[in-house]
Amino acid sequence: MTICRTIEEMRAQVRDWRQAGLRVGLVPTMGYLHEGHMSLVDLAAQRAERVVLSIYVNPTQFGPGEDLDKYPRDFARDEALCRQRGVQALFYPESRAMYAPSHSTWVVVEGLTETLCGRSRPGHFRGVSTVVTKLFNIVQPDVAVFGRKDAQQVLVIQRLVRDLDQPVEVVVAPIVREADGLAMSSRNTYLSADERRRAVCISQALQDAADGYAGGELDACRLRAGVTARIQAGGGRVDYVECVSRDTLQAVTRVDQPALLAVAAFFGKTRLIDNVYLG
Ligand code: AMP
């Protein structure tokens, strides 16, 4: 496995592979890897002969007062996990290498980024879209894999790829969960033992809603109310519980088209997200 610390090293590695006719898959991450990330690696490896995993805690997608400085980092562990899983290159740019001091170009996907996490985290998706565009330009992957855990992010990236004619196939991976159902996340490490025990109510609430929907409950308001009540009963502070169209992310009142039921909730200071597809 090669570790590329500069854009030039990454480009040179990909150039060699391309000359050998090999397809390249990219898995963008912020590190502190877990099985959710590694499942993306497996999907990339099924579609490309060479897999690049990037680790970059992108400052531009964090708002003031968010957890940029304390975001968990453990490069040695991440490196070992990538080696075990057969990643061929780790792109681990120096923090400053990615943005020139006078950086002033942004990718903004309108229409999909004003709701859900975009409302709670202004500027977040501008940072995500910009860094993903930069990673695509640096690595020029044939395929890039993203997790459905960040369902809004997936839609935003699919839209930017389409709108900007990026020559990359976007593959979406299912949510990987802990044994009790909590969606895996690097941020779970922030949780105290008590918060960790209680946080399972998010996935339970979503599962209850999915069961209710399967049993014929199509009223978005009642589905959302059930999820909110369950999370509050578990001691969580709800940021949002939204039921939205899976294409537009606009709120729906009745689930008579494929919908996304999405949650963000705080346990202590830790903000967790999760979602389920309805229909
Ligand atoms: P992050 O390092 O949190 O920015 O995540 C990097 C990629 O891994 C994103 O595409 C996430 O959606 C994906 N991911 C994170 N957690 C999970 C999970 N539990 N299951 C599947 N994919 C995940």
Side-chain angles (χ1 to χ4, degrees):
M1 186 176 77
T2 333
I3 298 173
C4 303
R5 302 274 354 230
T6 66
I7 293 169
E8 292 69 31
E9 282 167 17
M10 190 68 250
R11 282 195 198 284
Q13 175 63 86
V14 171
R15 208 178 303 124
D16 286 351
W17 289 337
R18 290 223 166 284
Q19 275 165 8
L22 300 168
R23 280 169 61 85
V24 178
L26 172 66
V27 177
T29 82
M30 298 203 299
Y32 212 73
L33 303 176
H34 50 68
E35 190 51 35
H37 297 115
M38 301 333 277
S39 74
L40 273 49
V41 168
D42 294 346
L43 279 180
Q46 285 168 20
R47 288 168 171 77
E49 289 86 26
R50 294 291 179 268
V51 176
V52 178
L53 182 138
S54 63
I55 297 180
Y56 183 61
V57 183
N58 172 37
T60 66
Q61 70 189 67
F62 288 79
E66 289 188 350
D67 55 342
L68 172 62
D69 293 333
K70 68 175 174 95
Y71 196 83
R73 293 163 168 90
D74 187 344
F75 182 72
R77 187 172 149 276
D78 289 350
E79 181 188 342
L81 284 171
C82 287
R83 281 187 197 282
Q84 281 165 24
R85 208 64 163 234
V87 169
Q88 281 86 14
L90 242 176
F91 181 45
Y92 180 49
E94 307 265 7
S95 194
R96 290 151 309 162
M98 289 290 277
Y99 292 96
S102 56
H103 179 95
S104 59
T105 305
W106 301 100
V107 179
V108 176
V109 177
E110 296 176 343
L112 294 174
T113 56
E114 293 83 7
T115 56
L116 307 176
C117 288
R119 182 172 299 146
S120 317
R121 305 184 68 191
H124 169 69
F125 286 111
R126 182 184 82 152
V128 169
S129 308
T130 302
V131 82
V132 168
T133 302
K134 287 164 71 65
L135 290 168
F136 284 177
N137 287 335
I138 294 163
V139 177
Q140 300 189 356
D142 298 281
V143 42
V145 188
F146 296 87
R148 210 199 72 205
K149 157 131 188 307
D150 299 87
Q152 186 175 16
Q153 170 173 283
V154 163
L155 242 78
V156 167
I157 287 160
Q158 287 171 330
R159 181 67 60 86
L160 91 79
V161 162
R162 187 200 71 183
D163 289 353
L164 299 182
D165 307 301
Q166 294 268 11
V168 54
E169 179 197 352
V170 174
V171 171
V172 183
I175 303 176
V176 177
R177 298 178 179 281
E178 302 286 356
D180 65 357
L182 179 69
M184 288 192 183
S185 164
S186 309
R187 288 190 168 98
N188 291 350
T189 185
Y190 297 147
L191 298 168
S192 70
D194 181 50
E195 288 162 355
R196 169 66 187 83
R197 261 193 306 278
R198 290 187 285 115
V200 69
C201 71
I202 300 177
S203 58
Q204 289 172 344
L206 288 170
Q207 188 54 53
D208 283 356
D211 293 345
Y213 167 77
E217 176 60 90
L218 301 184
D219 183 85
C221 204
R222 279 200 292 271
L223 290 166
R224 289 169 54 212
V227 173
T228 301
R230 182 83 187 260
I231 293 173
Q232 286 172 343
R237 182 164 62 80
V238 168
D239 177 9
Y240 66 74
V241 176
E242 297 282 358
C243 190
V244 298
S245 151
R246 226 142 73 196
D247 298 328
T248 64
L249 297 185
Q250 295 304 306
V252 298
T253 50
R254 249 183 102 68
V255 190
D256 48 14
Q257 53 172 318
L260 172 75
L261 185 57
V263 173
F266 286 90
F267 282 77
K269 291 199 169 97
T270 306
R271 184 175 175 281
L272 302 174
I273 59 171
D274 198 350
N275 66 77
V276 69
Y277 280 177
L278 303 179

